[in-house]
């Protein structure tokens, strides 16, 4: 019998020199021990909150962790974060066609009943283990249609606790909204939980148009708690004192992958022309893979004042940026929160209007805040101006109007408080 207190060994198996062995070892353990042993292993991964408030069990996802961090700081609830196991372990008994986001509900083939039964047993055991010292009052997920959550939703019904979603997905681009609507219409998906908290009106509108995912009263606009962190960031630094020109990558999935290469090379050329300036050029990437891809595109010919980095966070980079360049990225909303100047490329695949554009010139909030560069020379001119004679911080409400156009920011509270109020209705 495995000694589950051997956390050091398990940690080494998952992250250390023996990590390659962990997958087959885990699969063997799960096959022999089943859902209850899987739950015990998963329980070892839980990152527990220090507060003693009502316990909310969270299913970890990338970027969702940012929301949990702010919720821990700003609400009375205690958020316990499951960091590993709930995908890999459930794959051991879930048929491959049931491992497809949204469409798993349509599967009606061999192994379906057994898989759902085991996933429910797994979730029940995990919720009980997580709540040994303090009862779990709700389960929280980053999206409403993950296949990995099906057993947790059933367990919540059995235990009479709510399954709540704080949706990290926020479709804004018209083309993306159309794709999402078609996705849910084709899947026939139906949400089997209590409530869905969303970032802003566009997500609510998509769900309302589909009409069959959930009831209208189950969708609540709370905003994303991660944006509350901007309340604690000093964004008042004058442009002349800001040391960065920042390019936010749009390498894949932004409807402008090819033109990004042009923008990157124009950015690199501008860095070379200002190599004697104290200004630094930052290519802000999303993750290590993105960093490696951009460095390969740049080759060995980039200037010493150009840095490509995924580890620097936006809360540090953007308030120190006198100019931010990007396209179809929600991070440009954060650039507005940082009161940075914004330039949007608008040549090639990058456009200033259309169904695949997030920030169209026809939108007054965009028009009054951002500038468009219609070729490489205009982009380089905008960079030169930002270095030699940067416009000062706009004293008007243009930043606020730009932000409010894309995400919900409460006037008299924060997003964490709005979400806390929603959860309180169910517990």
């Amino acid at each position: 019998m495995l000694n589950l207190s051997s956390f050091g060994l398990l940690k080494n198996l998952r992250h250390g020199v023996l990590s390659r062995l962990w997958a087959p070892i885990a699969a063997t353990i799960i096959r022999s021990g089943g859902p209850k042993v899987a739950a015990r292993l998963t329980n070892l991964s839980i990152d527990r909150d220090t507060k003693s408030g009502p316990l909310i069990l969270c299913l970890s996802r990338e970027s969702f962790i940012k929301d949990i961090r702010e919720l821990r700081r700003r609400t009375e609830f205690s958020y316990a974060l499951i960091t590993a196991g709930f995908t890999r372990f459930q794959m051991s008994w879930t048929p491959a066609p049931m491992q497809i986001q949204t469409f798993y509900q349509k599967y009606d083939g061999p192994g379906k009943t057994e898989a759902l039964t085991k996933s429910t047993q797994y979730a029940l055991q995990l919720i009980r283990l997580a709540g040994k010292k303090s009862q779990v009052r709700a389960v929280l997920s980053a999206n409403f249609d993950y296949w990995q959550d099906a057993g947790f939703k059933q367990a919540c019904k059995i235990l009479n606790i709510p399954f709540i979603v704080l949706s990290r997905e926020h479709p804004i681009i018209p083309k993306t909204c159309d794709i999402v609507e078609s996705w849910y219409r084709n899947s026939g998906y139906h949400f089997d939980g209590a409530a869905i908290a969303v970032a802003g009106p566009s997500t609510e509108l998509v769900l309302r148009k589909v009409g069959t995912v959930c009831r209208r009263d189950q969708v609540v606009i709370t905003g994303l708690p991660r944006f509350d962190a901007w309340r604690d960031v000093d964004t008042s630094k004058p442009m002349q004192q800001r040391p960065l020109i920042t390019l936010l990558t749009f390498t894949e999935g932004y409807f402008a992958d090819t033109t990004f290469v042009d923008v990157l090379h124009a950015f690199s050329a501008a860095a070379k022309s200002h190599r004697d300036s104290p200004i630094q050029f930052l290519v802000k990437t999303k993750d290590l893979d993105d960093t490696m891809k951009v460095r390969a595109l740049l080759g060995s010919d980039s200037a010493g004042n150009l840095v490509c980095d995924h580890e620097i966070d936006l809360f540090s980079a953007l308030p120190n940026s006198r100019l931010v360049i990007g396209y179809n990225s929600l991070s440009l909303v954060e650039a507005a929160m940082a009161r940075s100047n914004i330039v949007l490329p608008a040549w090639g695949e990058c456009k200033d209007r259309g169904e695949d554009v997030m920030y169209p010139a026809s939108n007054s909030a965009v028009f009054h805040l951002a500038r468009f560069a219609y070729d490489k020379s205009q982009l380089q001119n905008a960079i030169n101006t930002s270095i030699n004679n940067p416009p000062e911080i706009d004293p008007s409400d243009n930043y606020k109007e730009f932000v409010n156009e894309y995400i919900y920011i409460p006037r008299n509270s924060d997003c964490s408080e709005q979400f806390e109020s929603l959860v309180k209705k169910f517990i």
Side-chain angles (χ1 to χ4, degrees):
M1 181 67 179
L2 177 70
N3 179 2
L4 294 178
S5 65
S6 302
F7 179 68
L9 173 61
L10 289 171
K11 185 176 180 181
N12 197 330
L13 283 170
R14 287 176 53 217
H15 303 295
V17 294
L18 300 176
S19 59
R20 290 185 180 179
L21 299 175
W22 173 237
I25 289 173
T28 301
I29 292 170
I30 301 313
R31 278 196 299 269
S32 61
K36 289 188 177 181
V37 170
R40 292 178 185 177
L41 287 170
T42 305
N43 186 52
L44 294 175
S45 81
I46 293 180
D47 175 15
R48 298 183 182 275
D49 200 348
T50 56
K51 297 197 302 297
S52 59
L55 180 61
I56 312 297
L57 187 62
C58 310
L59 303 170
S60 177
R61 290 279 177 172
E62 189 179 354
S63 77
F64 184 52
I65 296 172
K66 298 176 183 178
D67 294 310
I68 302 303
R69 186 183 302 132
E70 294 307 310
L71 288 169
R72 283 179 169 180
R73 291 179 58 201
R74 300 172 189 275
T75 75
E76 66 183 50
F77 296 132
S78 176
Y79 291 88
L81 189 64
I82 302 170
T83 62
F86 63 93
T87 292
R88 182 188 296 275
F89 295 158
Q90 292 189 84
M91 289 173 69
S92 300
W93 57 70
T94 304
M98 282 186 70
Q99 297 176 28
I100 301 174
Q101 184 172 343
T102 315
F103 284 82
Y104 70 89
Q105 280 189 349
K106 266 193 168 182
Y107 177 71
D108 198 28
K112 175 183 178 179
T113 301
E114 180 185 4
L116 186 55
T117 298
K118 287 187 174 180
S119 288
T120 303
Q121 291 172 347
Y122 167 74
L124 282 169
Q125 179 72 358
L126 183 54
I127 291 170
R128 286 164 180 154
L129 288 170
K132 273 191 173 181
K133 293 184 178 179
S134 176
Q135 180 186 357
V136 173
R137 304 290 298 279
V139 174
L140 178 61
S141 180
N143 210 339
F144 52 82
D145 63 344
Y146 291 139
W147 70 266
Q148 298 95 325
D149 295 355
F152 286 92
K153 291 170 183 171
Q154 292 301 311
C156 286
K157 287 184 176 181
I158 293 169
L159 297 172
N160 196 29
I161 62 175
F163 184 95
I164 297 174
V165 170
L166 176 54
S167 180
R168 66 174 185 163
E169 304 292 343
H170 185 45
I172 296 173
I173 302 169
K175 184 175 179 179
T176 301
C177 291
D178 290 343
I179 291 170
V180 172
E181 287 176 35
S182 296
W183 175 268
Y184 287 112
R185 285 199 179 97
N186 291 335
S187 71
Y189 180 83
H190 181 73
F191 175 59
D192 201 19
I196 304 170
V198 298
S202 66
T203 301
E204 181 195 38
L205 181 59
V206 166
L207 292 174
R208 193 190 319 153
K209 282 184 176 180
V210 177
T212 56
V213 172
C214 60
R215 301 189 313 272
R216 290 183 64 172
D217 66 302
Q218 287 182 290
V219 183
V220 181
I221 300 173
T222 63
L224 294 177
R226 71 189 73 170
F227 292 121
D228 292 340
W230 283 104
R231 294 177 178 271
D232 304 327
V233 178
D234 182 5
T235 61
S236 64
K237 183 180 288 188
M239 291 298 174
Q240 289 283 3
Q241 296 177 22
R242 298 190 181 199
L244 297 177
I245 304 289
T246 298
L247 169 61
L248 303 172
T249 59
F250 48 98
T251 48
E252 185 175 350
Y254 294 83
F255 303 114
D257 303 8
T258 301
T259 304
F260 171 75
V261 179
D262 286 345
V263 173
L264 177 65
H265 288 312
F267 189 76
S268 178
K272 289 177 186 177
S273 68
H274 291 283
R275 58 168 54 91
D276 296 326
S277 166
I279 299 299
Q280 293 290 304
F281 286 70
L282 170 66
V283 182
K284 175 66 179 76
T285 53
K286 294 178 285 296
D287 51 35
L288 180 59
D289 288 343
D290 198 28
T291 296
M292 299 304 292
K293 181 174 183 177
V294 170
R295 286 177 179 170
L297 289 170
L298 288 170
S300 59
D301 195 32
S302 60
N305 60 340
L306 189 151
V307 176
C308 182
D309 188 4
H310 60 276
E311 293 186 340
I312 183 172
D313 63 53
L314 293 177
F315 301 112
S316 174
L318 297 182
N320 284 297
S321 297
R322 54 177 67 189
L323 180 68
V324 177
I325 303 158
Y327 184 76
N328 275 3
S329 170
L330 198 57
S331 294
L332 287 170
V333 173
E334 295 185 81
M337 290 179 169
R339 302 168 74 81
S340 301
N341 293 313
I342 296 171
V343 166
L344 300 160
W347 75 86
E349 293 168 312
C350 296
K351 305 167 188 174
D352 68 350
R353 66 198 67 221
E355 290 299 300
D356 55 357
V357 176
M358 183 181 292
Y359 303 105
S362 56
N363 184 306
S364 61
V366 174
F367 181 80
H368 288 135
L369 183 66
R371 295 173 59 190
F372 289 87
Y374 290 94
D375 55 36
K376 292 181 182 179
S377 64
Q378 287 191 15
L379 178 62
Q380 290 175 330
N381 286 340
I383 292 172
N384 293 339
T385 299
S386 291
I387 292 174
N388 299 322
N389 188 28
E392 278 305 326
I393 293 174
D394 191 331
S396 70
D397 287 334
N398 287 340
Y399 295 110
K400 185 184 297 184
E401 291 173 7
F402 185 93
V403 171
N404 289 338
E405 187 71 19
Y406 293 96
I407 60 172
Y408 172 67
I409 300 293
R411 289 186 178 181
N412 301 315
S413 62
D414 57 30
C415 298
S416 296
E417 185 177 335
Q418 295 279 306
F419 180 73
E420 180 185 46
S421 296
L422 172 63
V423 176
K424 283 181 176 179
K425 293 178 181 179
F426 293 94
I427 66 171

